[in-house]
Amino acid sequence: MTKPVQADIPAPPDHDPQVTTADLRRAAWASSIGSALEYYDFALYSLASALIFSPLFFPGADPTTGLILSFSTYFIGFLVRPIGGIVFGRLGDRLGRKFVLMTTVAMMGAASTLIGVLPTYDGAEGDWYGAGGVGILAPILLILLRVVQGLGAGAEMAGASILMTEYAPRRRRGFFASLPFMGVQVGTVAAALIYFLLYSAGRESITATWHWRIPFLASIVIIAVAVWLRLRLKESPTFRKLEARDQIADHPLRELLSNSRPTLLRGIGLRLAENGSSSIYQALAVAYVTSAAIGVTGPIGALSLVFAATLGAIMVPVAGALTDRFGRVRVYRGFATFQLVAAFPVWWALSRGSTVLTIVVVSLALGIGTWGMFGSQSAFMTELFGARHRYLGVSVAREVSAVLSGGVAPLVGAGIIAAVVAADGGSGTPGAGLGSWVWLAGYTALLCAITVATTFVTPDPKGRDLEDHRDAVDALRHT
């Protein structure tokens, strides 16, 4: 591999007089609460897809097919995220970061809340829709709401990271830009704890009653807080300066596709390991260890996420601060390499069927590998793109990679498990599917290897001038 490119990019003064301490604090809270909502929704849906959606919305299928159908609805949310990224990213570059962040948080929260009142396929005892259910209409409505979720999520995290990076002092951008991603851990822990409490009473008690609705209905509380905070938020300093100078791009998508394709490819490659391993360990690993072949029982998925997200809450700001000291590329590569090296040991440990071992390895893979990359990614991705098409560029890079890795990963993994189960003699055969861990580990390692390779051809944009219209690659080339 080639030596990593080090960008020697001119930097602006460290302090922006337009940003007060109160502004910085308000931006951090507004960004973090929105991130908490997105990943509360994400963790809710991934756990529900792995554990309960199959009997609720696809009751006629055998367990393996039901899991694939359930993960298909999960994938649909990722499939539409690039569309949301393009639509809202373009608006973010033309109308401002605040407007889009208000819109996306409302969309995601409303969709999650409405999932909590959906009728199911067969209905359930004690359900206000009655025992008869609504048949095929139930999964159709679930898919529609998942689409709305995906459209909103397509620009939410990009906006939060951009807003915070543009607010932050130059020398501490990595740390401050990582703070919204701590909201991810808060949302993940909240979702996991709720599922842990519900699942402790038994899976049948959740799917047979209205109890599964509670986590989704709780989204309305997070919406209210997030909207209130964002109403009080000022527009980002960088966007205000672009407006004042009449430098807003009329056609940010055209500008992005003309000038930023190399940067887009780098952004997509950087995220494959982070987003892919996030979905793999939050959804697919849970489905694998609770399958008939492994046989781990109880709320193992929720419990693993609680420990992992708690570790991640510590790791995210630490990783951000490390990028301020040692550079974005070097730190990011370190976490991606950790995830690559850990892939086969982690999946082998998952195949042992030990509850304690499962919790430990999932916590390490997510809490250190995935969320270490997450914490070092926010300022990194934002600084790679030029000011006039930054929102759109970060959104498209994030969400295309989300489809290629995060959305596809559980679906591909479920297909791998199904193929191995069939090769072992079918779901009725004892231990059928046990050996799929080797293929699942290989798939995880492949995504991580692509990301590690990408870091060797990506410039380090640490501390660059965020008002520069050029991408970091172009700024380096002309300095």
Side-chain angles (χ1 to χ4, degrees), residues 62 64 292-293 417-434:
D62 65 80
T64 302
I417 294 172
V420 175
V421 167
D424 288 344
S427 56
T429 304
L434 177 63

PDB file of all heavy atoms in Angstrom, residues 62 64 292-293 417-434:
ATOM      1  N   ASP A  62     -41.086 -19.945   8.122  1.00  0.00           N
ATOM      2  CA  ASP A  62     -40.249 -20.667   9.075  1.00  0.00           C
ATOM      3  C   ASP A  62     -39.252 -19.682   9.667  1.00  0.00           C
ATOM      4  O   ASP A  62     -39.050 -18.592   9.129  1.00  0.00           O
ATOM      5  CB  ASP A  62     -39.525 -21.834   8.386  1.00  0.00           C
ATOM      6  CG  ASP A  62     -38.534 -21.367   7.337  1.00  0.00           C
ATOM      7  OD1 ASP A  62     -37.418 -20.964   7.707  1.00  0.00           O
ATOM      8  OD2 ASP A  62     -38.896 -21.364   6.142  1.00  0.00           O
ATOM      9  N   THR A  64     -36.002 -19.208   9.793  1.00  0.00           N
ATOM     10  CA  THR A  64     -34.920 -18.672   8.965  1.00  0.00           C
ATOM     11  C   THR A  64     -35.450 -17.702   7.915  1.00  0.00           C
ATOM     12  O   THR A  64     -34.925 -16.602   7.718  1.00  0.00           O
ATOM     13  CB  THR A  64     -34.149 -19.808   8.278  1.00  0.00           C
ATOM     14  OG1 THR A  64     -33.630 -20.700   9.279  1.00  0.00           O
ATOM     15  CG2 THR A  64     -32.997 -19.258   7.453  1.00  0.00           C
ATOM     16  N   ALA A 292     -31.200 -21.581  16.659  1.00  0.00           N
ATOM     17  CA  ALA A 292     -31.276 -22.935  17.211  1.00  0.00           C
ATOM     18  C   ALA A 292     -29.905 -23.585  17.291  1.00  0.00           C
ATOM     19  O   ALA A 292     -29.627 -24.386  18.199  1.00  0.00           O
ATOM     20  CB  ALA A 292     -32.216 -23.787  16.351  1.00  0.00           C
ATOM     21  N   ALA A 293     -29.000 -23.247  16.349  1.00  0.00           N
ATOM     22  CA  ALA A 293     -27.675 -23.867  16.331  1.00  0.00           C
ATOM     23  C   ALA A 293     -26.845 -23.488  17.550  1.00  0.00           C
ATOM     24  O   ALA A 293     -26.119 -24.316  18.108  1.00  0.00           O
ATOM     25  CB  ALA A 293     -26.935 -23.472  15.061  1.00  0.00           C
ATOM     26  N   ILE A 417     -26.267 -17.599   6.811  1.00  0.00           N
ATOM     27  CA  ILE A 417     -26.752 -18.557   7.813  1.00  0.00           C
ATOM     28  C   ILE A 417     -27.720 -19.547   7.184  1.00  0.00           C
ATOM     29  O   ILE A 417     -27.635 -20.760   7.411  1.00  0.00           O
ATOM     30  CB  ILE A 417     -27.419 -17.809   8.991  1.00  0.00           C
ATOM     31  CG1 ILE A 417     -26.379 -16.990   9.749  1.00  0.00           C
ATOM     32  CG2 ILE A 417     -28.104 -18.800   9.930  1.00  0.00           C
ATOM     33  CD1 ILE A 417     -26.974 -16.080  10.809  1.00  0.00           C
ATOM     34  N   ALA A 418     -28.645 -19.032   6.351  1.00  0.00           N
ATOM     35  CA  ALA A 418     -29.629 -19.907   5.700  1.00  0.00           C
ATOM     36  C   ALA A 418     -28.951 -20.919   4.787  1.00  0.00           C
ATOM     37  O   ALA A 418     -29.324 -22.097   4.748  1.00  0.00           O
ATOM     38  CB  ALA A 418     -30.636 -19.060   4.915  1.00  0.00           C
ATOM     39  N   ALA A 419     -27.915 -20.462   4.040  1.00  0.00           N
ATOM     40  CA  ALA A 419     -27.212 -21.375   3.132  1.00  0.00           C
ATOM     41  C   ALA A 419     -26.477 -22.465   3.900  1.00  0.00           C
ATOM     42  O   ALA A 419     -26.483 -23.645   3.507  1.00  0.00           O
ATOM     43  CB  ALA A 419     -26.233 -20.578   2.272  1.00  0.00           C
ATOM     44  N   VAL A 420     -25.836 -22.097   5.009  1.00  0.00           N
ATOM     45  CA  VAL A 420     -25.118 -23.081   5.807  1.00  0.00           C
ATOM     46  C   VAL A 420     -26.093 -24.048   6.482  1.00  0.00           C
ATOM     47  O   VAL A 420     -25.832 -25.257   6.564  1.00  0.00           O
ATOM     48  CB  VAL A 420     -24.213 -22.383   6.849  1.00  0.00           C
ATOM     49  CG1 VAL A 420     -23.553 -23.407   7.771  1.00  0.00           C
ATOM     50  CG2 VAL A 420     -23.157 -21.538   6.150  1.00  0.00           C
ATOM     51  N   VAL A 421     -27.226 -23.524   6.953  1.00  0.00           N
ATOM     52  CA  VAL A 421     -28.253 -24.388   7.551  1.00  0.00           C
ATOM     53  C   VAL A 421     -28.725 -25.418   6.533  1.00  0.00           C
ATOM     54  O   VAL A 421     -28.849 -26.615   6.839  1.00  0.00           O
ATOM     55  CB  VAL A 421     -29.445 -23.553   8.071  1.00  0.00           C
ATOM     56  CG1 VAL A 421     -30.639 -24.453   8.390  1.00  0.00           C
ATOM     57  CG2 VAL A 421     -29.047 -22.760   9.309  1.00  0.00           C
ATOM     58  N   ALA A 422     -28.998 -24.955   5.298  1.00  0.00           N
ATOM     59  CA  ALA A 422     -29.440 -25.877   4.243  1.00  0.00           C
ATOM     60  C   ALA A 422     -28.371 -26.913   3.930  1.00  0.00           C
ATOM     61  O   ALA A 422     -28.666 -28.101   3.747  1.00  0.00           O
ATOM     62  CB  ALA A 422     -29.805 -25.084   2.988  1.00  0.00           C
ATOM     63  N   ALA A 423     -27.102 -26.480   3.869  1.00  0.00           N
ATOM     64  CA  ALA A 423     -26.009 -27.412   3.579  1.00  0.00           C
ATOM     65  C   ALA A 423     -25.822 -28.430   4.696  1.00  0.00           C
ATOM     66  O   ALA A 423     -25.356 -29.552   4.462  1.00  0.00           O
ATOM     67  CB  ALA A 423     -24.711 -26.631   3.367  1.00  0.00           C
ATOM     68  N   ASP A 424     -26.204 -28.049   5.914  1.00  0.00           N
ATOM     69  CA  ASP A 424     -26.070 -28.954   7.061  1.00  0.00           C
ATOM     70  C   ASP A 424     -27.259 -29.904   7.216  1.00  0.00           C
ATOM     71  O   ASP A 424     -27.301 -30.687   8.165  1.00  0.00           O
ATOM     72  CB  ASP A 424     -25.917 -28.137   8.350  1.00  0.00           C
ATOM     73  CG  ASP A 424     -24.559 -27.459   8.444  1.00  0.00           C
ATOM     74  OD1 ASP A 424     -23.650 -27.853   7.697  1.00  0.00           O
ATOM     75  OD2 ASP A 424     -24.407 -26.523   9.264  1.00  0.00           O
ATOM     76  N   GLY A 425     -28.224 -29.815   6.306  1.00  0.00           N
ATOM     77  CA  GLY A 425     -29.354 -30.738   6.367  1.00  0.00           C
ATOM     78  C   GLY A 425     -30.681 -30.115   6.737  1.00  0.00           C
ATOM     79  O   GLY A 425     -31.673 -30.817   6.910  1.00  0.00           O
ATOM     80  N   GLY A 426     -30.725 -28.790   6.891  1.00  0.00           N
ATOM     81  CA  GLY A 426     -31.980 -28.121   7.198  1.00  0.00           C
ATOM     82  C   GLY A 426     -32.091 -27.743   8.660  1.00  0.00           C
ATOM     83  O   GLY A 426     -31.307 -28.179   9.511  1.00  0.00           O
ATOM     84  N   SER A 427     -33.090 -26.896   8.963  1.00  0.00           N
ATOM     85  CA  SER A 427     -33.234 -26.342  10.308  1.00  0.00           C
ATOM     86  C   SER A 427     -33.549 -27.396  11.363  1.00  0.00           C
ATOM     87  O   SER A 427     -33.346 -27.164  12.549  1.00  0.00           O
ATOM     88  CB  SER A 427     -34.325 -25.256  10.322  1.00  0.00           C
ATOM     89  OG  SER A 427     -35.550 -25.781   9.845  1.00  0.00           O
ATOM     90  N   GLY A 428     -34.036 -28.554  10.952  1.00  0.00           N
ATOM     91  CA  GLY A 428     -34.335 -29.608  11.918  1.00  0.00           C
ATOM     92  C   GLY A 428     -33.122 -30.405  12.346  1.00  0.00           C
ATOM     93  O   GLY A 428     -33.190 -31.208  13.295  1.00  0.00           O
ATOM     94  N   THR A 429     -32.006 -30.226  11.691  1.00  0.00           N
ATOM     95  CA  THR A 429     -30.790 -30.978  12.002  1.00  0.00           C
ATOM     96  C   THR A 429     -30.059 -30.329  13.167  1.00  0.00           C
ATOM     97  O   THR A 429     -29.808 -29.121  13.145  1.00  0.00           O
ATOM     98  CB  THR A 429     -29.846 -31.013  10.778  1.00  0.00           C
ATOM     99  OG1 THR A 429     -30.544 -31.547   9.664  1.00  0.00           O
ATOM    100  CG2 THR A 429     -28.613 -31.857  11.079  1.00  0.00           C
ATOM    101  N   PRO A 430     -29.700 -31.090  14.206  1.00  0.00           N
ATOM    102  CA  PRO A 430     -28.976 -30.514  15.344  1.00  0.00           C
ATOM    103  C   PRO A 430     -27.665 -29.849  14.901  1.00  0.00           C
ATOM    104  O   PRO A 430     -26.890 -30.412  14.141  1.00  0.00           O
ATOM    105  CB  PRO A 430     -28.690 -31.735  16.239  1.00  0.00           C
ATOM    106  CG  PRO A 430     -29.758 -32.717  15.878  1.00  0.00           C
ATOM    107  CD  PRO A 430     -30.009 -32.522  14.413  1.00  0.00           C
ATOM    108  N   GLY A 431     -27.452 -28.628  15.353  1.00  0.00           N
ATOM    109  CA  GLY A 431     -26.234 -27.897  15.038  1.00  0.00           C
ATOM    110  C   GLY A 431     -26.176 -27.298  13.657  1.00  0.00           C
ATOM    111  O   GLY A 431     -25.140 -26.740  13.261  1.00  0.00           O
ATOM    112  N   ALA A 432     -27.273 -27.369  12.893  1.00  0.00           N
ATOM    113  CA  ALA A 432     -27.276 -26.815  11.539  1.00  0.00           C
ATOM    114  C   ALA A 432     -27.031 -25.308  11.579  1.00  0.00           C
ATOM    115  O   ALA A 432     -27.708 -24.578  12.297  1.00  0.00           O
ATOM    116  CB  ALA A 432     -28.608 -27.107  10.854  1.00  0.00           C
ATOM    117  N   GLY A 433     -26.054 -24.843  10.819  1.00  0.00           N
ATOM    118  CA  GLY A 433     -25.730 -23.422  10.759  1.00  0.00           C
ATOM    119  C   GLY A 433     -24.632 -22.988  11.698  1.00  0.00           C
ATOM    120  O   GLY A 433     -24.185 -21.834  11.645  1.00  0.00           O
ATOM    121  N   LEU A 434     -24.153 -23.872  12.554  1.00  0.00           N
ATOM    122  CA  LEU A 434     -23.126 -23.518  13.530  1.00  0.00           C
ATOM    123  C   LEU A 434     -21.863 -22.985  12.853  1.00  0.00           C
ATOM    124  O   LEU A 434     -21.260 -22.006  13.285  1.00  0.00           O
ATOM    125  CB  LEU A 434     -22.783 -24.741  14.381  1.00  0.00           C
ATOM    126  CG  LEU A 434     -21.668 -24.572  15.428  1.00  0.00           C
ATOM    127  CD1 LEU A 434     -22.075 -23.538  16.470  1.00  0.00           C
ATOM    128  CD2 LEU A 434     -21.350 -25.907  16.094  1.00  0.00           C
TER     129      LEU A 434
END
